Amino acid sequence: MIIVFLLALTIVLIITFFRIEKSLNLFQNIFMYFVLSFLITTSFDILILNLEYIKLSSNFYLVLLFFLMQTSFFPLIIILYFNYLSASKSRLQKFNLIILCLASLFLIEYTLLSNKIIIYKKWTSLKSALYWISLLLIIYLLNKAFNKSISDEVDC
Amino acid sequence: MLPLPKSFDKNEIFLITVLFLLILIIRFLPKRFPKVITILILLEAFTIARLADHLLASAHVMGIDFYDIMDTGKYEFFGLFTYLIFAPFGYLFVYLYDWIKPRGVYLCLYIISWSLFSTCFEWIMVLFDIYKYKNWNLAYSSIVYLVVQPLTILFFEFLIREYNKMKE
C-alpha cells in the first residue's frame, strides 16, 4: 500500500514539476537537481552506512522506494521551492514557502519512518530539521555561486 | 563521518595521480563549450557515477551489494575521488564527440569504443583495488557504459540546443 502511495505521489510530483512554469532558468534547475541528488544520497549514505544513525528496511522494494525518494521526490520538492521563492515578492510569501517546503519534506520523512522504511537509531526529528534547513542553505549558496559564474553567458 | 584510508597505498595514489593528469589535460585543452555547459557536463558525469554506486554498492541491507569501493564497505573520503574521476572523463567524451561529430554508424563505433575504453579503465581500477567486485563483473559494467554514454550525448545535445535557443 505504502509503495503504491509513494510511487503515485512521486509520479504526480514529476508530472507537476514538468508542467508548471518555472521562474528559474533550465540550467539552474538542472544544476540544482544534480547537486541535490549528490548531496542527499551522500548524506544518507553517511548516516546509514558510516555513522549508523539511521537503519534501512531489509525489504528490497522499500529500499528501492527510498532510493526513488532520494533521487526524485526530495530534490524536486526543493527545486520547486526555489522556483517559487525566486518568483515571490513579499516576505510573508517567502516565509510561507519555506514552511510549506519543510512541512512536505517532514511529512514524507514521517511516512517513511512510520512505515519502517527508515528507522531512527541515534537520529531524531530535531536533527532531521537541522539537516533539511542546512541542505536548503547549502543549495541556496551553491545556486547563487552558479548564477554568478554563468551570468555573463545566460540571463538568470 | 567520511573515513580516511586504512593505509595510504596504491589505490589512493592511483586515484590522485589520474585525477591530477585529467585536470591537467582539461586545463590545457582549447575551450570548446560555454562555461554553463562545461559545468553541467562535469556535474552530470559525477552525479551519474554517484547514483550508480549508491544503488549498486551501498545497499548492503537488501542483498544487492555488488561491489565495494576502496578499502572498506563504507563510504570513504577517497570514494569521492572515484566520482571526481568520472567528471573529466565525461567531459572528454563529450569534447571528442563535439570535435569529431560522428554520425550514423560512426556514432555507434564512437560509443562502442568509449565503452571498451571505459571498461578497460575500470579493469585497471580493479587491479589497483579501487573496486572490489562481489557479485559484479566487467561485462555488467560495459553494459552500463553502453547505456549511460548515449544518454550523455543526448543530454549534451539537449543542453546545446537550449543554450542556443536562450541566446537567440
Side-chain angles (χ1 to χ4, degrees):
Chain A
M1 181 64 189
I2 187 65
I3 295 177
V4 177
F5 170 71
L6 287 176
L7 259 180
L9 200 65
T10 309
I11 292 167
V12 168
L13 183 70
I14 292 171
I15 294 169
T16 313
F17 181 80
F18 284 105
R19 291 298 300 164
I20 61 161
E21 202 169 310
K22 288 169 269 302
S23 57
L24 296 177
N25 78 41
L26 177 81
F27 298 124
Q28 283 173 287
N29 284 315
I30 295 174
F31 172 81
M32 276 199 289
Y33 176 75
F34 284 144
V35 174
L36 275 165
S37 296
F38 173 74
L39 286 179
I40 293 172
T41 54
T42 295
S43 51
F44 273 109
D45 263 2
I46 291 171
L47 291 173
I48 294 167
L49 293 175
N50 292 8
L51 301 172
E52 296 179 2
Y53 283 180
I54 296 175
K55 197 172 167 273
L56 210 54
S57 162
S58 51
N59 183 312
F60 175 80
Y61 297 106
L62 293 181
V63 175
L64 274 187
L65 188 71
F66 183 56
F67 177 77
L68 188 72
M69 291 283 120
Q70 290 176 82
T71 52
S72 59
F73 194 91
F74 293 137
L76 291 188
I77 282 282
I78 295 173
I79 296 170
L80 276 178
Y81 161 69
F82 279 107
N83 274 283
Y84 281 120
L85 187 75
S86 72
S88 64
K89 300 275 184 285
S90 69
R91 280 195 177 181
L92 180 71
Q93 226 175 348
K94 285 180 181 169
F95 178 75
N96 287 343
L97 275 173
I98 196 159
I99 297 295
L100 193 68
C101 173
L102 287 173
S104 319
L105 294 169
F106 273 126
L107 204 65
I108 290 303
E109 200 177 312
Y110 178 74
T111 313
L112 295 172
L113 202 61
S114 56
N115 286 282
K116 295 197 168 37
I117 297 171
I118 54 170
I119 301 152
Y120 287 170
K121 284 169 85 182
K122 295 175 220 162
W123 193 251
T124 59
S125 300
L126 181 68
K127 285 179 184 168
S128 236
L130 289 174
Y131 165 77
W132 289 120
I133 292 167
S134 326
L135 192 69
L136 290 180
L137 192 68
I138 291 169
I139 289 299
Y140 175 77
L141 294 174
L142 287 176
N143 194 30
K144 278 250 172 208
F146 180 68
N147 274 356
K148 209 175 166 188
S149 70
I150 64 162
S151 56
D152 51 336
E153 292 176 352
V154 179
D155 292 330
C156 298
Chain B
M1 285 211 299
L2 286 172
L4 289 169
K6 283 178 185 166
S7 58
F8 192 85
D9 48 21
K10 58 180 181 181
N11 47 10
E12 286 84 14
I13 294 169
F14 177 81
L15 274 180
I16 292 172
T17 313
V18 171
L19 191 61
F20 178 72
L21 289 175
L22 285 170
I23 291 171
L24 270 187
I25 292 170
I26 287 181
R27 180 74 188 82
F28 290 107
L29 273 177
K31 191 173 173 278
R32 194 167 185 89
F33 312 123
K35 206 193 290 176
V36 60
I37 305 276
T38 306
I39 294 173
L40 291 178
I41 287 294
L42 289 169
L43 250 178
E44 183 255 2
F46 178 77
T47 312
I48 295 285
R50 169 72 200 123
L51 292 185
D53 284 348
H54 176 67
L55 185 65
L56 300 171
S58 60
H60 298 258
V61 280
M62 56 180 182
I64 55 160
D65 179 21
F66 291 120
Y67 50 89
D68 280 344
I69 302 165
M70 305 306 282
D71 299 339
T72 61
K74 297 205 168 188
Y75 187 28
E76 287 182 40
F77 175 71
F78 273 89
L80 280 176
F81 283 67
T82 56
Y83 310 129
L84 284 175
I85 277 186
F86 280 97
F89 270 128
Y91 178 78
L92 288 176
F93 171 71
V94 167
Y95 190 96
L96 280 177
Y97 166 79
D98 190 58
W99 189 35
I100 304 170
K101 290 190 174 48
R103 292 287 174 263
V105 74
Y106 294 107
L107 179 60
C108 290
L109 280 175
Y110 182 76
I111 291 168
I112 292 168
S113 326
W114 263 93
S115 296
L116 279 175
F117 167 74
S118 311
T119 311
C120 289
F121 187 77
E122 190 170 314
W123 175 65
I124 296 170
M125 286 169 95
V126 173
L127 291 182
F128 276 89
D129 285 339
I130 291 162
Y131 291 119
K132 286 166 188 156
Y133 290 163
K134 292 171 180 173
N135 303 308
W136 193 259
N137 61 55
L138 285 171
Y140 298 153
S141 298
S142 61
I143 294 165
V144 173
Y145 291 126
L146 277 172
V147 174
V148 171
Q149 286 171 352
L151 291 177
T152 304
I153 288 176
L154 285 177
F155 178 65
F156 168 70
E157 294 282 1
F158 170 74
L159 288 180
I160 290 287
R161 203 170 49 240
E162 291 299 321
Y163 181 81
N164 291 336
K165 243 193 261 176
M166 221 173 266
K167 279 280 165 193
E168 279 166 12

